[in-house]
Amino acid sequence: MASQDEVEELGMEADGQKSEQSSADGGEGSCSQTTDSSLVSQEEDGSVSNGGDSETPKEHVEFKVIWNKNKYDVKLPLDTTGASLKQKIHTLTGLPPAMQKVMFKGLLPEDKTLREIKVTNGAKVMVVGSTINDVLTVTTPKETIQQEVKEEENKKEPLCRQKQHRKVLDKGKPDDVMPSLKGVKERLPTTPISGMYNKSGGKVRLTFKLEQDQLWIGTKERTEKIPMASIKNVVSETIDEQEDYHMMAFQLGPTEASYYWVYWVPAQYVDAIKDTVLGKWQYF
């Protein structure tokens, strides 16, 4: 039979084993609990990855870009800025961003996104502008334009060959016409310029009253005193085979129908007449 001391020692060993077993069981339970809690936390905040891309897909918008009667289908992220859109338009059309005017509910701001300016699917974005090649094609030097205008005028029938003027010119040079000097410019004479015809074939004379700023157009019947400031324009053209004489018209009203025609004006006075009537008086 075991002594009392041996019994007590055996009891202490048994208690020690139970304590160790309890500690071991408790440790496993704690570890399991921590792992479960961590998984739940990760699942709740969506941080658990299955190995794929964790970035949120970008939102896109599909719309049409219209330029020069052409339509382009465009699909871009909603966070694309106006400046980036211009670059896209450049790749589509060849139109440099600096030459683009992009319109969507007004002028498109370059620093705003498509989302901010509310571009939606099916929207239409208008573009105005010309490519560099287009600009070079239509940009013509001023001298060239003037030459083309002159050539176009030359294609028209000369005034002296038109029927309304021929009926006067066919009468021939008036007997009392003043002498002419081709290639010479002279100041206005102190006496009237006479010996000319008007559109009716009647004799006419021109008197320049500089102190009164008036042009007097005199015929056998009457004399019209016209303020020079009211004369809109003065045109002239040489007479065929009589280049030392001109036919000249004074525009007295708003249209060409108001032209007062005078025929057989000596060439040396043509420039002085125009300058005087149009406000460029010449004092020699």
Side-chain angles (χ1 to χ4, degrees):
M1 178 177 291
S3 65
Q4 185 173 356
D5 292 338
E6 292 176 344
V7 170
E8 290 177 356
E9 184 177 350
L10 290 172
M12 292 175 64
E13 290 179 355
D15 291 341
Q17 291 176 355
K18 288 180 181 180
S19 176
E20 290 175 0
Q21 181 66 36
S22 174
S23 175
D25 292 343
E28 290 176 0
S30 174
C31 178
S32 175
Q33 183 177 0
T34 302
T35 302
D36 292 345
S37 175
S38 175
L39 287 174
V40 170
S41 176
Q42 291 177 355
E43 289 173 353
E44 286 176 351
D45 64 15
S47 63
V48 176
S49 172
N50 292 324
D53 188 358
S54 62
E55 293 184 3
T56 304
K58 295 181 179 180
E59 292 184 75
H60 286 71
V61 62
E62 298 182 21
F63 55 95
K64 291 186 181 294
V65 169
I66 303 175
W67 171 73
N68 200 21
K69 298 183 180 180
N70 296 316
K71 296 181 180 180
Y72 303 89
D73 292 319
V74 177
K75 182 178 180 180
L76 290 174
L78 275 169
D79 294 323
T80 301
T81 63
S84 298
L85 174 58
K86 284 190 171 184
Q87 292 294 339
K88 178 65 174 179
I89 294 172
H90 182 204
T91 61
L92 293 172
T93 65
L95 185 62
M99 301 179 70
Q100 297 176 21
K101 183 178 288 186
V102 184
M103 311 292 292
F104 180 76
K105 297 179 181 179
L107 189 63
L108 179 74
E110 292 191 359
D111 58 339
K112 299 291 185 181
T113 65
L114 302 181
R115 186 192 307 274
E116 289 175 314
I117 62 176
K118 295 180 172 53
V119 176
T120 57
N121 288 323
K124 295 180 180 180
V125 176
M126 309 297 296
V127 180
V128 179
S130 301
T131 65
I132 294 177
N133 289 337
D134 291 337
V135 172
L136 293 176
T137 299
V138 301
T139 301
T140 307
K142 183 178 179 180
E143 294 77 9
T144 303
I145 295 175
Q146 291 175 339
Q147 181 63 29
E148 290 177 353
V149 171
K150 187 174 182 180
E151 290 177 355
E152 185 63 27
E153 290 178 347
N154 290 338
K155 292 178 182 178
K156 297 179 180 178
E157 184 180 24
L159 292 172
C160 60
R161 296 181 186 174
Q162 294 178 11
K163 184 177 180 180
Q164 61 172 324
H165 303 300
R166 279 265 45 112
K167 66 180 182 180
V168 179
L169 294 174
D170 286 346
K171 294 179 62 173
K173 190 186 303 183
D175 295 335
D176 57 347
V177 67
M178 295 179 66
S180 65
L181 298 173
K182 183 179 178 181
V184 176
K185 296 181 181 180
E186 291 190 357
R187 64 179 181 180
L188 294 175
T190 56
T191 57
I193 302 176
S194 59
M196 300 173 293
Y197 289 138
N198 60 19
K199 65 179 180 180
S200 301
K203 289 293 185 66
V204 64
R205 63 184 177 276
L206 302 177
T207 305
F208 296 89
K209 295 291 185 177
L210 302 184
E211 67 281 0
Q212 300 175 36
D213 193 26
Q214 291 181 345
L215 168 61
W216 291 8
I217 301 178
T219 63
K220 183 179 179 180
E221 293 79 19
R222 64 181 182 276
T223 297
E224 295 186 45
K225 300 180 180 181
I226 303 169
M228 292 188 192
S230 69
I231 300 175
K232 310 299 182 183
N233 195 18
V234 181
V235 298
S236 68
E237 184 179 291
T238 58
I239 299 174
D240 275 356
E241 300 180 359
Q242 297 285 346
E243 286 78 7
D244 49 344
Y245 287 96
H246 284 233
M247 49 186 293
M248 178 176 285
F250 302 93
Q251 186 177 347
L252 306 181
T255 67
E256 292 186 4
S258 64
Y259 280 165
Y260 187 98
W261 286 98
V262 178
Y263 304 86
W264 303 102
V265 179
Q268 69 268 27
Y269 299 132
V270 169
D271 287 343
I273 292 173
K274 289 182 177 180
D275 290 346
T276 300
V277 172
L278 297 177
K280 301 177 182 179
W281 291 3
Q282 297 186 3
Y283 297 96
F284 293 88

